[in-house]
């Protein structure tokens, strides 16, 4: 394992959850499978150069490679070695390329496993259009949202039993005999748990983000009209949390109508809610009215990919999984194995996730340089194959050349 070098220092988190980032922090990286090595090589060069350009050598990331996926399997016989989980905890901040999910054999997705073992309860996906990126929207510039999706509960908790199994039959008998709910024979059964605790910590983080970034609204997205005690409770607990912990800074949409003539008081964040299906329509028809979205796990899964498509697709979409202690920034697409080793695919998702990571560390100047460099490159129509095939007059470049082009546009 490549370590962070002699000069590296660990990031620490104090009892209030405040993170302290030294000038030479040790940051973990998981290269990823398939196209991961190409993407990671390109991304690492851009991130290091942006940090150098922003801080003139006074700050520098000390990268520490962590093994997961196929590389880990080849070297250790395990898809996710215990050492990697320990090192991720120690690093506090890490970034990863895409990982293969082994098909069959009852193995859960490595991504889902990492979120659960590190309690990375918020999946954060900023969705913003970058000038020049092909989009199916007439006005993609109106889309500027951040999705906070709950990561540990809901149907994704993985509590389910196959049709006809002993467990499913036992559950079916219990439901019929004890609860008066009789299911069809040969039903697969899944459980959808959603707790006040899980909802509150997610909504708290979403509101804090809106406050920190001066965003005017937080929308609770739910299907509470049908699933009253899970999704409906998410809505209710979200409003209660806002009223209890952020009374000074928030106002509900109903209050804006009833007490303020439809105009939110200056400086207050409007808390509103939308039923999930209506939210999909709103995201297409009136995206400018939405800023931070807080969602349960399954709704958020669909919504964040749909929103990413509105601004150019998953190849461009950054993401992070964040808990109270650790944060793992990641590509939102998969390993695209057919392009492995061809130096072909778009590294923008990991590069922009890296910018999110720098911002999370408080290295905002470097984050802005990465974003600007990437925006300038794309707006000059220097792009990888995926965007080139949708653009007129594009100059198609390889993955590594796309990174070179960003590097040339970092500083001026
Ligand atoms: P995928 O790897 O995302 O690839 C699907 C298609 O998306 C590719 O064929 C390619 O489209 C396009 N694509 C993906 N990444 C791209 C990039 N960086 N630049 C340009 N285009 C890109 O999805 P998959 O084939 O369903 O999954 C492959 C493996 O990845 C599976 O093992 C899956 O479990 C895993 N996966 C991992 C993650 C993760 O680690 N976060 C997420 C999703 C899937 P074209 O063919 O049109 O060129």
């Amino acid at each position: 394992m490549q370590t962070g070098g002699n000069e590296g220092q660990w990031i620490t988190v104090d009892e209030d959850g405040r993170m302290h980032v030294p000038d030479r922090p040790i940051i973990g990286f998981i290269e990823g499978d398939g196209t991961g090595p190409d993407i990671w090589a390109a991304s690492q060069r851009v991130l290091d150069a942006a940090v150098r350009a922003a801080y003139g050598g006074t700050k520098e990331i000390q990268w520490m490679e962590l093994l997961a996926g196929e590389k880990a399997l080849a070297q250790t016989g395990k898809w996710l070695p215990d050492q990697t989980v320990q090192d991720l905890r120690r690093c506090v901040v890490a970034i990863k390329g895409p990982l293969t999910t082994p098909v069959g054999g009852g193995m859960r997705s490595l991504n889902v496993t990492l979120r659960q073992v590190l309690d990375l309860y918020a999946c954060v996906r900023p969705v913003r259009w970058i000038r020049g990126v092909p989009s199916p929207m007439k006005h993609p510039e109106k889309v500027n949202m951040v999705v906070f999706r709950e990561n540990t509960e809901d149907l994704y908790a993985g509590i389910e039993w196959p049709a006809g199994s002993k467990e499913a039959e036992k559950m079916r008998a219990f439901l019929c005999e004890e609860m008066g709910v009789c299911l069809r024979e040969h039903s697969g059964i899944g459980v959808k748990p959603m707790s006040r605790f899980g909802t509150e910590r997610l909504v708290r983080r979403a509101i804090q983000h809106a406050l920190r970034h001066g965003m005017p609204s937080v929308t609770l997205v739910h299907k509470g009209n049908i699933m009253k005690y899970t999704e409906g409770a998410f809505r209710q607990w979200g409003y209660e949390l806002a009223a209890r912990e952020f009374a000074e800074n928030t106002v509900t949409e109903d209050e804006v109508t009833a007490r303020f003539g439809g105009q939110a008081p200056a400086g207050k964040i409007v808390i509103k809610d939308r039923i999930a299906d209506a939210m999909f329509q709103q995201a297409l028809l009136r995206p400018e009215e939405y800023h931070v979205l807080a969602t349960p796990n399954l709704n958020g899964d669909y919504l964040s990919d749909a929103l990413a498509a509105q601004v150019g697709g998953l190849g461009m979409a950054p993401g992070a999984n964040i808990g109270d202690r650790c944060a793992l920034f990641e590509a939102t697409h998969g390993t695209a194995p057919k392009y492995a080793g061809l130096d072909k695919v778009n590294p923008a998702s990991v590069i922009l996730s890296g910018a999110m990571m720098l911002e999370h560390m408080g290295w905002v100047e470097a984050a802005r340089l990465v974003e600007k460099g990437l925006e300038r490159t794309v707006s000059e129509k220097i792009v990888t194959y995926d965007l080139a095939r949708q653009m007129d007059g594009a100059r198609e470049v390889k993955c590594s050349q796309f990174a070179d082009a960003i590097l040339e546009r970092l500083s001026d």
Side-chain angles (χ1 to χ4, degrees):
M1 181 180 299
Q2 174 188 326
T3 60
N6 295 334
E7 290 181 87
Q9 295 148 342
W10 300 107
I11 292 176
T12 54
V13 180
D14 67 22
E15 295 213 332
D16 316 335
R18 206 167 324 165
M19 190 171 62
H20 300 277
V21 180
D23 284 341
R24 306 208 180 285
I26 299 169
I27 305 280
F29 75 91
I30 295 169
E31 192 178 55
D33 298 326
T35 51
D38 283 349
I39 292 175
W40 175 247
S43 305
Q44 190 178 13
R45 282 197 294 133
V46 171
L47 300 178
D48 282 341
V51 170
R52 250 191 325 274
Y55 308 113
T58 59
K59 294 181 192 288
E60 186 185 31
I61 292 175
Q62 305 290 311
W63 297 105
M64 176 181 185
E65 180 165 13
L66 309 177
L67 294 177
E70 288 165 359
K71 196 167 178 179
L73 188 69
Q75 292 189 25
T76 70
K78 289 190 168 171
W79 287 95
L80 182 61
D82 294 343
Q83 186 66 44
T84 297
V85 176
Q86 274 175 35
D87 288 338
L88 280 166
R89 285 206 178 95
R90 189 86 210 265
C91 285
V92 178
V93 173
I95 184 165
K96 65 176 269 297
L99 291 172
T100 304
T101 298
V103 177
M107 167 90 189
R108 293 200 74 188
S109 149
L110 290 178
N111 300 304
V112 174
T113 305
L114 281 169
R115 289 170 197 170
Q116 294 199 337
V117 295
L118 296 170
D119 198 22
L120 305 174
Y121 59 83
C123 178
V124 184
R125 294 266 202 100
V127 189
R128 182 173 66 87
W129 183 63
I130 292 180
R131 192 160 298 281
V133 174
S135 155
M137 300 277 290
K138 278 193 188 137
H139 290 288
E141 73 283 358
K142 290 185 178 174
V143 182
N144 189 359
M145 302 179 210
V146 183
V147 181
F148 280 75
R149 163 190 167 202
E150 207 290 325
N151 245 348
T152 62
E153 303 195 325
D154 198 357
L155 293 168
Y156 267 68
I159 309 168
E160 55 176 9
W161 301 281
S165 65
K166 203 169 69 199
E167 293 84 357
E169 286 310 303
K170 197 167 174 184
M171 184 60 97
R172 212 165 61 83
F174 170 77
L175 287 173
C176 196
E177 286 156 23
E178 305 282 331
M179 312 296 279
V181 181
C182 297
L183 303 180
R184 282 195 191 105
E185 276 180 33
H186 215 73
S187 292
I189 299 176
V191 178
K192 178 181 172 78
M194 286 170 59
S195 69
R196 179 188 279 274
F197 172 80
T199 301
E200 285 190 350
R201 64 181 181 171
L202 186 270
V203 175
R204 182 180 298 115
R205 199 168 262 281
I207 297 176
Q208 283 167 342
H209 183 93
L211 274 173
R212 214 171 293 132
H213 293 86
M215 298 173 85
S217 72
V218 174
T219 305
L220 307 165
V221 183
H222 60 90
K223 194 71 191 163
N225 52 330
I226 306 296
M227 292 169 273
K228 298 181 194 307
Y229 306 120
T230 49
E231 305 257 337
F234 178 89
R235 170 188 177 277
Q236 184 63 26
W237 291 327
Y239 275 120
E240 286 171 8
L241 182 278
R244 197 173 68 241
E245 295 188 10
F246 299 94
E248 294 289 300
N249 305 99
T250 61
V251 63
T252 65
E253 189 175 41
D254 286 349
E255 286 172 325
V256 171
T257 309
R259 291 178 42 210
F260 301 104
Q263 190 67 38
K268 296 251 189 191
I269 294 170
V270 179
I271 308 292
K272 47 189 174 182
D273 75 279
R274 294 290 179 272
I275 291 175
D277 39 333
M279 186 64 230
F280 277 86
Q281 287 194 35
Q282 297 276 296
L284 286 168
L285 301 176
R286 292 153 70 165
E288 67 277 21
E289 293 178 18
Y290 298 89
H291 309 94
V292 174
L293 307 181
T295 79
N297 206 337
L298 187 61
N299 292 333
D301 188 21
Y302 302 149
L303 194 54
S304 36
D305 276 19
L307 283 167
Q310 288 179 223
V311 294
L314 288 184
M316 299 297 293
N321 294 294
I322 300 182
D324 287 333
R325 184 181 158 79
C326 294
L328 182 57
F329 296 79
E330 68 171 2
T332 50
H333 54 71
T335 59
K338 67 183 176 186
Y339 298 122
L342 300 183
D343 191 17
K344 184 176 172 77
V345 295
N346 188 349
S349 173
V350 172
I351 291 175
L352 290 170
S353 301
M356 269 178 93
M357 180 186 86
L358 292 169
E359 178 156 352
H360 180 78
M361 291 159 57
W363 294 13
V364 180
E365 299 80 4
R368 290 293 97 80
L369 284 183
V370 173
E371 287 166 358
K372 272 200 197 148
L374 191 140
E375 284 189 33
R376 287 188 56 192
T377 306
V378 174
S379 63
E380 290 176 36
K381 298 192 174 189
I382 302 170
V383 290
T384 44
Y385 84 98
D386 51 318
L387 298 185
R389 69 188 171 189
Q390 303 175 62
M391 290 162 89
D392 291 328
R395 192 175 121 212
E396 182 180 326
V397 293
K398 290 173 173 290
C399 177
S400 58
Q401 292 169 328
F402 184 70
D404 294 338
I406 298 176
L407 292 181
E408 286 161 18
R409 287 159 184 78
L410 272 185
S411 46
D412 50 323

